[in-house]
PDB file of all heavy atoms in Angstrom:
ATOM      1  N   VAL A 117     -63.546 -59.446   8.570  1.00 91.00           N
ATOM      2  CA  VAL A 117     -64.125 -58.790   7.393  1.00 91.00           C
ATOM      3  C   VAL A 117     -63.490 -59.404   6.152  1.00 91.00           C
ATOM      4  O   VAL A 117     -62.274 -59.355   5.978  1.00 91.00           O
ATOM      5  CB  VAL A 117     -63.867 -57.270   7.416  1.00 91.00           C
ATOM      6  CG1 VAL A 117     -64.456 -56.621   6.171  1.00 91.00           C
ATOM      7  CG2 VAL A 117     -64.460 -56.654   8.675  1.00 91.00           C
ATOM      8  N   ASN A 118     -64.311 -59.984   5.302  1.00 90.00           N
ATOM      9  CA  ASN A 118     -63.830 -60.621   4.080  1.00 90.00           C
ATOM     10  C   ASN A 118     -63.729 -59.573   2.977  1.00 90.00           C
ATOM     11  O   ASN A 118     -64.736 -59.159   2.410  1.00 90.00           O
ATOM     12  CB  ASN A 118     -64.771 -61.762   3.667  1.00 90.00           C
ATOM     13  CG  ASN A 118     -64.185 -62.617   2.563  1.00 90.00           C
ATOM     14  OD1 ASN A 118     -63.615 -62.113   1.601  1.00 90.00           O
ATOM     15  ND2 ASN A 118     -64.330 -63.927   2.690  1.00 90.00           N
ATOM     16  N   LEU A 119     -62.505 -59.133   2.690  1.00 92.00           N
ATOM     17  CA  LEU A 119     -62.313 -58.083   1.689  1.00 92.00           C
ATOM     18  C   LEU A 119     -62.737 -58.554   0.306  1.00 92.00           C
ATOM     19  O   LEU A 119     -63.241 -57.756  -0.502  1.00 92.00           O
ATOM     20  CB  LEU A 119     -60.857 -57.626   1.669  1.00 92.00           C
ATOM     21  CG  LEU A 119     -60.484 -56.493   2.629  1.00 92.00           C
ATOM     22  CD1 LEU A 119     -60.573 -56.965   4.077  1.00 92.00           C
ATOM     23  CD2 LEU A 119     -59.095 -55.961   2.344  1.00 92.00           C
ATOM     24  N   GLY A 120     -62.530 -59.848   0.010  1.00 90.00           N
ATOM     25  CA  GLY A 120     -62.903 -60.369  -1.302  1.00 90.00           C
ATOM     26  C   GLY A 120     -64.400 -60.271  -1.538  1.00 90.00           C
ATOM     27  O   GLY A 120     -64.850 -59.821  -2.604  1.00 90.00           O
ATOM     28  N   LYS A 121     -65.188 -60.676  -0.539  1.00 91.00           N
ATOM     29  CA  LYS A 121     -66.643 -60.600  -0.680  1.00 91.00           C
ATOM     30  C   LYS A 121     -67.125 -59.155  -0.726  1.00 91.00           C
ATOM     31  O   LYS A 121     -68.135 -58.854  -1.364  1.00 91.00           O
ATOM     32  CB  LYS A 121     -67.314 -61.338   0.478  1.00 91.00           C
ATOM     33  CG  LYS A 121     -67.167 -62.859   0.416  1.00 91.00           C
ATOM     34  CD  LYS A 121     -67.937 -63.527   1.544  1.00 91.00           C
ATOM     35  CE  LYS A 121     -67.827 -65.047   1.443  1.00 91.00           C
ATOM     36  NZ  LYS A 121     -68.579 -65.733   2.540  1.00 91.00           N
ATOM     37  N   ALA A 122     -66.410 -58.278  -0.054  1.00 90.00           N
ATOM     38  CA  ALA A 122     -66.796 -56.867  -0.058  1.00 90.00           C
ATOM     39  C   ALA A 122     -66.386 -56.160  -1.345  1.00 90.00           C
ATOM     40  O   ALA A 122     -66.800 -55.027  -1.596  1.00 90.00           O
ATOM     41  CB  ALA A 122     -66.166 -56.152   1.140  1.00 90.00           C
ATOM     42  N   GLY A 123     -65.564 -56.823  -2.165  1.00 91.00           N
ATOM     43  CA  GLY A 123     -65.100 -56.205  -3.400  1.00 91.00           C
ATOM     44  C   GLY A 123     -64.103 -55.085  -3.163  1.00 91.00           C
ATOM     45  O   GLY A 123     -64.062 -54.105  -3.900  1.00 91.00           O
ATOM     46  N   VAL A 124     -63.298 -55.244  -2.104  1.00 93.00           N
ATOM     47  CA  VAL A 124     -62.343 -54.207  -1.715  1.00 93.00           C
ATOM     48  C   VAL A 124     -60.946 -54.807  -1.672  1.00 93.00           C
ATOM     49  O   VAL A 124     -60.759 -55.951  -1.264  1.00 93.00           O
ATOM     50  CB  VAL A 124     -62.708 -53.624  -0.328  1.00 93.00           C
ATOM     51  CG1 VAL A 124     -61.611 -52.682   0.181  1.00 93.00           C
ATOM     52  CG2 VAL A 124     -64.042 -52.896  -0.401  1.00 93.00           C
ATOM     53  N   ALA A 158     -62.079 -49.877  -3.914  1.00 91.00           N
ATOM     54  CA  ALA A 158     -62.870 -50.898  -4.579  1.00 91.00           C
ATOM     55  C   ALA A 158     -62.049 -51.569  -5.671  1.00 91.00           C
ATOM     56  O   ALA A 158     -61.268 -50.907  -6.357  1.00 91.00           O
ATOM     57  CB  ALA A 158     -64.144 -50.284  -5.162  1.00 91.00           C
ATOM     58  N   LYS A 159     -62.204 -52.868  -5.803  1.00 85.00           N
ATOM     59  CA  LYS A 159     -61.478 -53.599  -6.841  1.00 85.00           C
ATOM     60  C   LYS A 159     -61.897 -53.116  -8.218  1.00 85.00           C
ATOM     61  O   LYS A 159     -63.089 -53.026  -8.519  1.00 85.00           O
ATOM     62  CB  LYS A 159     -61.758 -55.099  -6.717  1.00 85.00           C
ATOM     63  CG  LYS A 159     -61.075 -55.763  -5.535  1.00 85.00           C
ATOM     64  CD  LYS A 159     -61.306 -57.259  -5.550  1.00 85.00           C
ATOM     65  CE  LYS A 159     -60.558 -57.936  -4.412  1.00 85.00           C
ATOM     66  NZ  LYS A 159     -60.800 -59.392  -4.383  1.00 85.00           N
ATOM     67  N   LYS A 162     -64.850 -50.685  -9.849  1.00 54.00           N
ATOM     68  CA  LYS A 162     -66.228 -51.007 -10.238  1.00 54.00           C
ATOM     69  C   LYS A 162     -66.676 -50.218 -11.466  1.00 54.00           C
ATOM     70  O   LYS A 162     -67.843 -49.901 -11.651  1.00 54.00           O
ATOM     71  CB  LYS A 162     -67.192 -50.737  -9.066  1.00 54.00           C
ATOM     72  CG  LYS A 162     -66.947 -51.647  -7.862  1.00 54.00           C
ATOM     73  CD  LYS A 162     -67.974 -51.403  -6.788  1.00 54.00           C
ATOM     74  CE  LYS A 162     -67.766 -52.350  -5.610  1.00 54.00           C
ATOM     75  NZ  LYS A 162     -68.755 -52.136  -4.542  1.00 54.00           N
ATOM     76  N   VAL A 188     -63.491 -50.399   5.125  1.00 96.00           N
ATOM     77  CA  VAL A 188     -63.906 -51.272   4.021  1.00 96.00           C
ATOM     78  C   VAL A 188     -65.258 -50.827   3.470  1.00 96.00           C
ATOM     79  O   VAL A 188     -65.480 -50.823   2.254  1.00 96.00           O
ATOM     80  CB  VAL A 188     -63.945 -52.736   4.485  1.00 96.00           C
ATOM     81  CG1 VAL A 188     -64.671 -53.617   3.462  1.00 96.00           C
ATOM     82  CG2 VAL A 188     -62.530 -53.263   4.700  1.00 96.00           C
ATOM     83  N   LYS A 189     -66.172 -50.449   4.359  1.00 95.00           N
ATOM     84  CA  LYS A 189     -67.488 -49.983   3.910  1.00 95.00           C
ATOM     85  C   LYS A 189     -67.342 -48.716   3.061  1.00 95.00           C
ATOM     86  O   LYS A 189     -67.990 -48.568   2.015  1.00 95.00           O
ATOM     87  CB  LYS A 189     -68.369 -49.700   5.131  1.00 95.00           C
ATOM     88  CG  LYS A 189     -69.732 -49.064   4.813  1.00 95.00           C
ATOM     89  CD  LYS A 189     -70.636 -50.027   4.060  1.00 95.00           C
ATOM     90  CE  LYS A 189     -72.096 -49.579   4.068  1.00 95.00           C
ATOM     91  NZ  LYS A 189     -72.359 -48.263   3.456  1.00 95.00           N
ATOM     92  N   ALA A 191     -64.706 -47.836   1.307  1.00 94.00           N
ATOM     93  CA  ALA A 191     -64.083 -48.223   0.031  1.00 94.00           C
ATOM     94  C   ALA A 191     -65.084 -48.937  -0.873  1.00 94.00           C
ATOM     95  O   ALA A 191     -65.115 -48.698  -2.089  1.00 94.00           O
ATOM     96  CB  ALA A 191     -62.873 -49.115   0.301  1.00 94.00           C
ATOM     97  N   ARG A 192     -65.889 -49.788  -0.292  1.00 93.00           N
ATOM     98  CA  ARG A 192     -66.893 -50.510  -1.084  1.00 93.00           C
ATOM     99  C   ARG A 192     -67.888 -49.546  -1.717  1.00 93.00           C
ATOM    100  O   ARG A 192     -68.394 -49.785  -2.828  1.00 93.00           O
ATOM    101  CB  ARG A 192     -67.630 -51.511  -0.191  1.00 93.00           C
ATOM    102  CG  ARG A 192     -68.636 -52.392  -0.928  1.00 93.00           C
ATOM    103  CD  ARG A 192     -69.284 -53.364   0.032  1.00 93.00           C
ATOM    104  NE  ARG A 192     -70.062 -52.667   1.044  1.00 93.00           N
ATOM    105  CZ  ARG A 192     -70.553 -53.247   2.140  1.00 93.00           C
ATOM    106  NH1 ARG A 192     -70.303 -54.521   2.378  1.00 93.00           N
ATOM    107  NH2 ARG A 192     -71.266 -52.554   3.002  1.00 93.00           N
TER     108      ARG A 192
END
Side-chain angles (χ1 to χ4, degrees):
V117 179
N118 191 317
L119 271 68
K121 289 184 178 180
V124 172
K159 287 185 177 178
K162 295 184 178 180
V188 167
K189 174 67 164 60
R192 184 179 64 192

